[in-house]
Short mmCIF file of all heavy atoms in Angstrom, two decimals:
data_model
loop_
_atom_site.label_atom_id
_atom_site.label_comp_id
_atom_site.label_asym_id
_atom_site.label_seq_id
_atom_site.Cartn_x
_atom_site.Cartn_y
_atom_site.Cartn_z
N ASN A 33 -55.88 -68.23 30.09
CA ASN A 33 -57.00 -67.31 29.91
C ASN A 33 -58.28 -67.87 30.52
O ASN A 33 -58.44 -69.08 30.70
CB ASN A 33 -57.24 -67.08 28.41
CG ASN A 33 -56.18 -66.21 27.78
OD1 ASN A 33 -56.17 -65.00 27.94
ND2 ASN A 33 -55.26 -66.85 27.06
N SER A 34 -59.21 -66.97 30.83
CA SER A 34 -60.54 -67.39 31.29
C SER A 34 -61.23 -68.22 30.21
O SER A 34 -61.92 -69.19 30.50
CB SER A 34 -61.41 -66.18 31.63
OG SER A 34 -60.74 -65.29 32.50
N ILE A 35 -61.07 -67.79 28.94
CA ILE A 35 -61.58 -68.53 27.80
C ILE A 35 -60.42 -68.80 26.86
O ILE A 35 -59.81 -67.86 26.34
CB ILE A 35 -62.69 -67.74 27.06
CG1 ILE A 35 -63.88 -67.52 27.98
CG2 ILE A 35 -63.12 -68.47 25.79
CD1 ILE A 35 -64.99 -66.68 27.35
N GLN A 36 -60.10 -70.06 26.67
CA GLN A 36 -59.02 -70.45 25.77
C GLN A 36 -59.64 -70.88 24.44
O GLN A 36 -60.48 -71.77 24.39
CB GLN A 36 -58.20 -71.60 26.35
CG GLN A 36 -57.03 -72.01 25.46
CD GLN A 36 -56.29 -73.21 26.02
OE1 GLN A 36 -56.75 -73.86 26.96
NE2 GLN A 36 -55.13 -73.52 25.43
N LEU A 37 -59.25 -70.23 23.36
CA LEU A 37 -59.82 -70.49 22.05
C LEU A 37 -58.88 -71.32 21.19
O LEU A 37 -57.66 -71.10 21.19
CB LEU A 37 -60.12 -69.16 21.33
CG LEU A 37 -61.18 -68.26 21.98
CD1 LEU A 37 -61.28 -66.94 21.23
CD2 LEU A 37 -62.53 -68.95 22.04
N ASN A 38 -59.47 -72.23 20.45
CA ASN A 38 -58.72 -73.04 19.49
C ASN A 38 -58.74 -72.33 18.14
O ASN A 38 -59.49 -72.68 17.24
CB ASN A 38 -59.36 -74.43 19.39
CG ASN A 38 -58.62 -75.34 18.43
OD1 ASN A 38 -57.42 -75.18 18.19
ND2 ASN A 38 -59.33 -76.29 17.86
N ASP A 39 -57.91 -71.30 18.04
CA ASP A 39 -57.93 -70.43 16.86
C ASP A 39 -56.53 -69.86 16.67
O ASP A 39 -56.06 -69.06 17.48
CB ASP A 39 -58.95 -69.31 17.07
CG ASP A 39 -59.19 -68.46 15.83
OD1 ASP A 39 -58.29 -68.38 14.98
OD2 ASP A 39 -60.28 -67.86 15.72
N ASP A 40 -55.87 -70.26 15.57
CA ASP A 40 -54.48 -69.84 15.38
C ASP A 40 -54.35 -68.37 15.00
O ASP A 40 -53.24 -67.84 14.96
CB ASP A 40 -53.78 -70.72 14.35
CG ASP A 40 -54.45 -70.72 12.98
OD1 ASP A 40 -55.38 -69.92 12.76
OD2 ASP A 40 -54.01 -71.51 12.12
N ARG A 41 -55.47 -67.69 14.72
CA ARG A 41 -55.41 -66.26 14.44
C ARG A 41 -55.65 -65.41 15.69
O ARG A 41 -55.66 -64.18 15.62
CB ARG A 41 -56.44 -65.90 13.37
CG ARG A 41 -56.11 -66.46 11.99
CD ARG A 41 -56.95 -65.84 10.92
NE ARG A 41 -56.63 -66.36 9.60
CZ ARG A 41 -57.21 -65.96 8.47
NH1 ARG A 41 -58.14 -65.03 8.51
NH2 ARG A 41 -56.85 -66.49 7.31
N VAL A 42 -55.87 -66.07 16.79
CA VAL A 42 -56.05 -65.39 18.07
C VAL A 42 -54.71 -65.34 18.78
O VAL A 42 -53.96 -66.33 18.81
CB VAL A 42 -57.10 -66.12 18.93
CG1 VAL A 42 -57.11 -65.58 20.35
CG2 VAL A 42 -58.48 -65.99 18.30
N SER A 43 -54.39 -64.19 19.37
CA SER A 43 -53.13 -64.04 20.09
C SER A 43 -53.16 -64.83 21.39
O SER A 43 -54.21 -65.22 21.89
CB SER A 43 -52.86 -62.56 20.38
OG SER A 43 -52.68 -61.84 19.18
N ARG A 44 -51.99 -65.06 21.97
CA ARG A 44 -51.89 -65.82 23.22
C ARG A 44 -52.76 -65.19 24.30
O ARG A 44 -53.49 -65.88 25.01
CB ARG A 44 -50.43 -65.91 23.67
CG ARG A 44 -49.56 -66.75 22.75
CD ARG A 44 -48.08 -66.64 23.07
NE ARG A 44 -47.79 -67.04 24.44
CZ ARG A 44 -47.38 -66.22 25.39
NH1 ARG A 44 -47.19 -64.92 25.12
NH2 ARG A 44 -47.13 -66.66 26.61
N PHE A 45 -52.67 -63.90 24.48
CA PHE A 45 -53.56 -63.15 25.35
C PHE A 45 -54.13 -62.02 24.49
O PHE A 45 -53.49 -61.00 24.28
CB PHE A 45 -52.81 -62.61 26.57
CG PHE A 45 -52.33 -63.71 27.48
CD1 PHE A 45 -51.06 -64.26 27.34
CD2 PHE A 45 -53.16 -64.23 28.46
CE1 PHE A 45 -50.61 -65.27 28.16
CE2 PHE A 45 -52.73 -65.24 29.30
CZ PHE A 45 -51.45 -65.77 29.15
N HIS A 46 -55.34 -62.22 23.99
CA HIS A 46 -55.87 -61.38 22.92
C HIS A 46 -56.61 -60.16 23.43
O HIS A 46 -56.40 -59.05 22.96
CB HIS A 46 -56.80 -62.24 22.04
CG HIS A 46 -57.10 -61.61 20.72
ND1 HIS A 46 -56.52 -62.03 19.53
CD2 HIS A 46 -57.93 -60.59 20.37
CE1 HIS A 46 -56.98 -61.30 18.53
NE2 HIS A 46 -57.84 -60.42 19.02
N MET A 47 -57.53 -60.37 24.38
CA MET A 47 -58.36 -59.28 24.88
C MET A 47 -58.86 -59.61 26.27
O MET A 47 -58.77 -60.75 26.72
CB MET A 47 -59.56 -59.03 23.95
CG MET A 47 -60.38 -60.27 23.66
SD MET A 47 -62.09 -59.93 23.17
CE MET A 47 -62.84 -59.59 24.76
N LYS A 48 -59.40 -58.58 26.94
CA LYS A 48 -60.00 -58.82 28.25
C LYS A 48 -61.26 -57.97 28.39
O LYS A 48 -61.44 -56.96 27.70
CB LYS A 48 -59.02 -58.50 29.39
CG LYS A 48 -58.72 -57.02 29.56
CD LYS A 48 -57.84 -56.77 30.78
CE LYS A 48 -57.56 -55.27 30.96
NZ LYS A 48 -56.75 -55.00 32.17
N ILE A 49 -62.14 -58.41 29.29
CA ILE A 49 -63.35 -57.67 29.63
C ILE A 49 -63.34 -57.46 31.14
O ILE A 49 -63.20 -58.42 31.90
CB ILE A 49 -64.62 -58.43 29.20
CG1 ILE A 49 -64.62 -58.68 27.69
CG2 ILE A 49 -65.87 -57.65 29.60
CD1 ILE A 49 -65.74 -59.60 27.22
N HIS A 50 -63.48 -56.21 31.56
CA HIS A 50 -63.48 -55.92 32.99
C HIS A 50 -64.50 -54.82 33.29
O HIS A 50 -65.09 -54.25 32.37
CB HIS A 50 -62.08 -55.50 33.46
CG HIS A 50 -61.57 -54.24 32.84
ND1 HIS A 50 -61.10 -54.18 31.54
CD2 HIS A 50 -61.46 -52.98 33.33
CE1 HIS A 50 -60.71 -52.94 31.26
NE2 HIS A 50 -60.93 -52.20 32.33
N ILE A 51 -64.71 -54.56 34.55
CA ILE A 51 -65.66 -53.53 34.99
C ILE A 51 -64.92 -52.23 35.22
O ILE A 51 -63.86 -52.21 35.87
CB ILE A 51 -66.37 -53.95 36.29
CG1 ILE A 51 -67.21 -55.20 36.05
CG2 ILE A 51 -67.25 -52.82 36.81
CD1 ILE A 51 -68.40 -54.97 35.16
N ASP A 52 -65.45 -51.15 34.68
CA ASP A 52 -64.90 -49.81 34.92
C ASP A 52 -66.06 -48.84 35.05
O ASP A 52 -66.81 -48.64 34.09
CB ASP A 52 -63.96 -49.39 33.78
CG ASP A 52 -63.31 -48.05 34.04
OD1 ASP A 52 -62.41 -47.99 34.89
OD2 ASP A 52 -63.74 -47.06 33.40
N ARG A 53 -66.24 -48.29 36.24
CA ARG A 53 -67.31 -47.32 36.48
C ARG A 53 -68.67 -47.86 36.03
O ARG A 53 -69.42 -47.21 35.30
CB ARG A 53 -67.01 -45.99 35.78
CG ARG A 53 -65.74 -45.32 36.31
CD ARG A 53 -65.54 -43.96 35.69
NE ARG A 53 -64.33 -43.32 36.20
CZ ARG A 53 -63.91 -42.11 35.87
NH1 ARG A 53 -64.61 -41.40 34.97
NH2 ARG A 53 -62.82 -41.59 36.37
N ASP A 54 -68.97 -49.05 36.47
CA ASP A 54 -70.26 -49.71 36.20
C ASP A 54 -70.46 -50.08 34.74
O ASP A 54 -71.57 -50.46 34.35
CB ASP A 54 -71.43 -48.84 36.68
CG ASP A 54 -71.37 -48.56 38.16
OD1 ASP A 54 -70.97 -49.46 38.92
OD2 ASP A 54 -71.72 -47.43 38.57
N ASN A 55 -69.44 -49.98 33.92
CA ASN A 55 -69.52 -50.40 32.52
C ASN A 55 -68.67 -51.65 32.30
O ASN A 55 -67.63 -51.83 32.93
CB ASN A 55 -69.00 -49.29 31.59
CG ASN A 55 -69.91 -48.09 31.55
OD1 ASN A 55 -71.12 -48.22 31.47
ND2 ASN A 55 -69.33 -46.90 31.60
N PHE A 56 -69.14 -52.51 31.37
CA PHE A 56 -68.31 -53.61 30.92
C PHE A 56 -67.39 -53.05 29.83
O PHE A 56 -67.86 -52.56 28.81
CB PHE A 56 -69.16 -54.74 30.35
CG PHE A 56 -69.98 -55.45 31.38
CD1 PHE A 56 -71.36 -55.27 31.43
CD2 PHE A 56 -69.40 -56.30 32.30
CE1 PHE A 56 -72.12 -55.92 32.38
CE2 PHE A 56 -70.15 -56.95 33.26
CZ PHE A 56 -71.52 -56.76 33.30
N LEU A 57 -66.10 -53.13 30.07
CA LEU A 57 -65.13 -52.51 29.17
C LEU A 57 -64.27 -53.60 28.53
O LEU A 57 -63.64 -54.40 29.22
CB LEU A 57 -64.25 -51.53 29.94
CG LEU A 57 -63.47 -50.51 29.11
CD1 LEU A 57 -64.43 -49.56 28.41
CD2 LEU A 57 -62.51 -49.73 29.99
N LEU A 58 -64.27 -53.62 27.19
CA LEU A 58 -63.40 -54.52 26.43
C LEU A 58 -62.11 -53.79 26.09
O LEU A 58 -62.15 -52.65 25.63
CB LEU A 58 -64.10 -55.00 25.17
CG LEU A 58 -63.32 -55.90 24.19
CD1 LEU A 58 -64.29 -56.81 23.43
CD2 LEU A 58 -62.49 -55.09 23.18
N THR A 59 -60.99 -54.46 26.29
CA THR A 59 -59.69 -53.90 25.94
C THR A 59 -58.92 -54.91 25.11
O THR A 59 -58.73 -56.06 25.54
CB THR A 59 -58.87 -53.54 27.19
OG1 THR A 59 -59.61 -52.63 28.01
CG2 THR A 59 -57.55 -52.89 26.81
#
Side-chain angles (χ1 to χ4, degrees):
N33 287 283
S34 309
I35 297 177
Q36 182 184 10
L37 296 175
N38 181 26
D39 188 334
D40 59 8
R41 292 193 180 182
V42 170
S43 295
R44 292 171 58 248
F45 294 92
H46 196 104
M47 53 157 282
K48 70 175 181 178
I49 301 172
H50 63 285
I51 296 292
D52 183 74
R53 297 185 180 182
D54 300 323
N55 291 316
F56 292 108
L57 198 65
L58 177 152
T59 303

